[in-house]
Structures are given as C-alpha cells and as structure tokens.
Amino acid sequence: MKSCDHRCDVLIIGSGAAGLSLALRLAPSYRVIVASKGALNEGSTFYAQGGIAAVFDQADSIESHIEDTLTAGAGLCDRSAVTFIASNARHCVQWLINNGVSFDKNAGGVSGQPYHLTREGGHSHRRILHSADATGHAVETTLVSLALSQPNIQLLERFNAVDIITSDKAGLPGSRRAVGAWLWNRQLERVETCSARSVILATGGAAKVYQYTTNPDVASGDGIAMAWRAGCRVANMEFNQFHPTCLFHPQARNFLLSEALRGEGALLKRPDGSRFMADFDPRGELAPRDVVAQAIDYEMKRLGVDCMYLDISHKSADFIRGHFPTIYHKLISLGLDLTSEPIPIVPAAHYTCGGAVVDNQGQTDVAGLYAIGEVSYTGLHGANRLASNSLLECLVYGWSASQALISTLPHLSAPARLPPWDESRVDDSDERVIIQHNWHELRLFMWDYVGIVRSTKRLERAQRRIQLLQAEIAEYYANFRISNNLLELRNLAEVAELIIKSALQRKESRGLHYTLDYPQTLAHARPTVLTPDFKA
C-alpha cells in the first residue's frame, strides 16, 4: 500500500457532456478530478452535429417524445426510464442555456417559440434544439471553459483509466465498493493511483470496435470493459447503431452527415439518381436509423456498389449554407458541393445502445461506481436509439447522478492509501507489431461478421476468433508494460466478446440486431443481460 498520487471526493473518468455536466454540478461543494484519455474535448460530444431532443414547443408534448422513443426502440425500451428522461429533459437543457450554451433561435420568435427546432428521423414533431450543425462543439467548448474556471475541478488530460480499484482490492473493511482507479499517465508513461469517495464512468461508447465508424479514436469501450471487470452486469450489447449517412471519401473516413439534413428534406438516392427509401418504409428518409441503415446496406449489396448518395441540392444554396455551415465547408475542402450535387455516403458504426446496467441515478451494481452517458444501459434506447436522445441522456444523468452523490458523499471517505500498480514482473515489449496486427484483425472481423446483417455462422466464427485474440492479449498484458494501444485493444476485445455473446443469445431480429437465421420478431421483448462470473 502507498499514499495516493491523486485524491478527491469524486473521480470522473471521461470529459464529455455527461462527465463535465456532473463535475460542474458537484464543484460548488466537492473536489472533483476529471480524467480525460486525450485532449479534454476529444470525445464524441465535441463532434455531435444534430442536437438535443427536448419538448420546448407548445404543440409538442412529453408523452409524444416518450412514444417516439418507444417506437424507435422497437419494443425494448424501459418505459419508466424513457418517462424519467423525457420528463426531465427541458430543465436539464435549460441548465445548459443558463450556463451559456447558445442554441439557434427563430427570427422574431415564430409562434412564440424562440428556438429554431428541427426534426430528425423517428420524431413526430420538431423538437431538436441545435447550434447550426455543430451542437456538440457548442456544448463541449462551453462546458470545458466553465470547468477550467472552477477551482474545485482538476482536469487531467492524457490519462487512461486502467481499472477500477474496489475496497476489497485495497484491503479496506466493510462492504465492497469503488474507492478509486489506476490511471496511466501517458506523458510520464507510468501508472498512478487516484483515491475517491465515488467513481463515475463517463467514457462514451465502443464504436471503435468496428472497422468503419463515425466516432473519434477514443471510443474504445473502456468504461464498459472496466465495469464488467469490476463485477457489473451489462445489457443489450448486441444493439450497435450504424449511422446511415457517413461520408464515403478516402480523406474523411469518419465524417458524419447529420440526420438533420434528412430532417430538412435531403433525399437518399441510388447511383442512377432514383430514390429507394419508399421501398422499405412509408416514412421514407425519416424512418428510424436502423431501417435506413439496413436499406442502404441492402441496396449497396444488391447493386454491388460502394455507396449510396444523399442529395439536398434541391434546396436553396443560402438555406444549405445557413443551416449546415460546418458540413458545407468540410465538403468544399474535399471537392464536394452540398448545394449542387449528391454526396456519397455509407453506414458506419455510430452508437452503443447497451452498456453497464444502472438505475435512474446512474448507480451500477458496484456501490460507489456510477456510469452515465453512452457507457451505460439505462433502458432509454432499447433496440435502437432515437436521434438526438444521446446528449439528452448525458445531461439528465449528469443531473440525477449529482443528486444521488450530494446525498451519499457526506457519509463516505476517500482512502489515504491504495495498492500500487505492480510492474515488477513485466518488461518493455519488443514486438509492438503484435498489438497493431490484433487491433486490425479485431475491427475487421467485427465489421464482417457482427455488422448490420448477421447470421449464426458469422457470429460463431467471430466468437472463435475473439477467444483466440483474448488469449493472446491476456498473455501480452501479463508480460509487458502497458501502452495506450494495449489498453484500448484489451478493452475493445472485452467489449467485442460481450457484443458477440449478446448477439448469439438473441434468437430474433429486432431493431439494430438483424440476423438471417431469425428474421422474425418475437412477441415478447426482453433485454439481453450478461452477468460476469465474478467473485468478490
């Protein structure tokens, strides 16, 4: 045991909308450390284009938001969780507004509604608040600026969380609970300890497990893997949302074309210019993402082509440039003009609908360990996420977790000493090429076998491959000093195995999980819950 390198009241792992909103709510009373794997804003929040769903229009209703979410979730949402989040949406978004986030407004306050609300797939009303087509940028930069000004918030950049430290590992008396974490300081290349009264996972999703993704490089499933290793249940890991419209271009492989484009009239077309969504769903381009992604995937395979096209050129150039300036300028830099031509698109892994099982305050199965945002399974998303509910979930759980922590933290203490990281039996690796080889193999077979369309044979093939990879990674992890790539590979392999196990258990097609062997949808929807073989 040694004295801790870092000590705080609350350790938050992750610096996106969930983590920073929680930190800011706790900062008036508690010392908070926010550990960010990369730069503070290098997460999915920063790149979110569309917006945040909340009922601000008098013609809309919370009940309508609930029903749209339940419909998009293909019968697998938890109604109580959906109701909880939709009912708390407005005051959590208003908190953002009060803290300086600027959302687009209507000229002259149309119909008494000051904010310009857009509509996205699966929504029956215009209820998406946005900041042009860079809402995440507006949210993240505002939250980072506020956090930097708070003396009670310490921000650690380029610190990878390695694992959660629980009281039994630390030899502390009493019931088992989270008391800190091991953090790898990437600049000094050493593992440090951080002790805390409570630990919060706000690490985002795991879309990097796939070869093609809209997510930034940091989305490697770290929090889900750490929660699983700590003894937490995970649920619905088979439901990986593929965004239908990722730009198909060699110089921008993860650039997203916002769903708000389709909300404002963009059409999906085949290479010959003909539309196809009406062949798959009466809602056309505004069908939920699982329907649209499967339709695009089907047409690409049927025609043997590399991509489909998204076309909004029938709208005025001023309208397009005014509503989608970020997308317009990015495409211009690549030689594409959104105002005058169809844009090549393909589906790409986008959002992890499952995660660590939590209650309405973000509490996991391990006392003192919380999970908020994309890392968690709340029951909101079901078998498919409704557009623009993701940032909303981050904000609502940043609020609700703060309420729970404010009531429990006074009764807890952070340990003064924690077990040090043991590197006495490891060496520096002279074969780092193994990590890169395993990394590419993992992402490729997940794309090929556990993608938009699945089969039992493909899943079983993936399961055999992941078991071999897991053995190699475990041996490598036991013998060599850690690195960023090794930590991410270890977590991605863990999450890939959970995805495959979950997919094999679901003997039906529902939402984002479509399998050729079980194309029907069962009458009764049940979440897939995995419980670790864990002994405290």
Side-chain angles (χ1 to χ4, degrees), residues 225-240:
M226 284 189 288
W228 177 257
R229 291 194 294 265
C232 300
R233 291 170 300 154
V234 300
N236 281 12
M237 290 300 295
E238 70 271 37
F239 297 112
N240 303 278

Side-chain angles (χ1 to χ4, degrees), residues 26 203 227 364 375:
L26 295 175
T203 53
T364 69
V375 67

Side-chain angles (χ1 to χ4, degrees), residues 101-176:
V101 176
S102 178
F103 293 106
D104 286 7
K105 293 186 176 181
N106 281 318
V110 177
S111 302
Q113 169 51 252
Y115 295 104
H116 179 269
L117 304 174
T118 191
R119 183 182 174 192
E120 296 179 343
H123 289 274
S124 57
H125 291 81
R126 286 180 171 266
R127 66 168 67 99
I128 314 302
L129 287 89
H130 64 101
S131 182
D133 58 348
T135 305
H137 181 277
V139 170
E140 182 70 6
T141 53
T142 301
L143 294 180
V144 168
S145 177
L146 290 170
L148 287 169
S149 70
Q150 290 289 331
N152 260 1
I153 298 178
Q154 181 182 2
L155 301 167
L156 301 178
E157 291 186 281
R158 295 178 61 78
F159 275 74
N160 293 59
V162 180
D163 263 320
I164 304 302
I165 301 175
T166 49
S167 54
D168 54 319
K169 291 180 183 176
L172 298 174
S175 57
R176 185 173 184 268

Side-chain angles (χ1 to χ4, degrees), residues 261-433:
L261 282 160
R262 284 178 283 132
E264 295 296 343
L267 305 174
L268 286 164
K269 296 181 177 180
R270 301 181 181 95
D272 65 2
S274 62
R275 294 177 62 186
F276 59 88
M277 277 309 304
D279 298 341
F280 296 89
D281 193 285
R283 291 166 289 187
E285 279 78 6
L286 290 179
R289 289 177 177 176
D290 58 331
V291 176
V292 180
Q294 288 172 19
I296 294 171
D297 182 71
Y298 178 86
E299 287 296 303
M300 286 169 56
K301 289 175 178 174
R302 183 180 70 85
L303 296 173
V305 296
D306 293 329
C307 64
M308 292 286 114
Y309 291 84
L310 186 69
D311 189 2
I312 197 173
S313 62
H314 53 279
K315 292 278 192 175
S316 76
D318 287 343
F319 175 88
I320 294 168
R321 285 192 290 261
H323 281 75
F324 306 104
T326 305
I327 296 172
Y328 171 78
H329 289 296
K330 176 67 173 181
L331 293 177
I332 285 292
S333 73
L334 297 169
L336 299 169
D337 190 345
L338 190 63
T339 68
S340 62
E341 63 184 320
I343 306 300
I345 53 91
V346 292
H350 183 60
Y351 193 86
T352 307
C353 288
V357 175
V358 298
D359 64 14
N360 278 351
Q361 283 68 51
Q363 172 69 59
T364 69
D365 293 330
V366 175
L369 179 62
Y370 293 73
I372 57 175
E374 191 176 353
V375 67
S376 67
Y377 166 76
T378 63
L380 172 64
H381 305 306
N384 181 32
R385 177 175 71 88
L386 181 65
S388 289
N389 268 354
S390 52
L391 285 176
L392 174 62
E393 184 180 44
C394 292
L395 297 174
V396 171
Y397 279 80
W399 162 73
S400 67
S402 75
Q403 300 302 296
L405 287 161
I406 287 168
S407 68
T408 59
L409 286 172
H411 310 291
L412 303 171
S413 61
R417 295 179 177 274
L418 288 175
W421 185 254
D422 184 7
E423 286 191 328
S424 61
R425 291 171 290 179
V426 298
D427 297 313
D428 289 318
S429 172
D430 58 358
E431 297 182 71
R432 293 191 179 184
V433 67

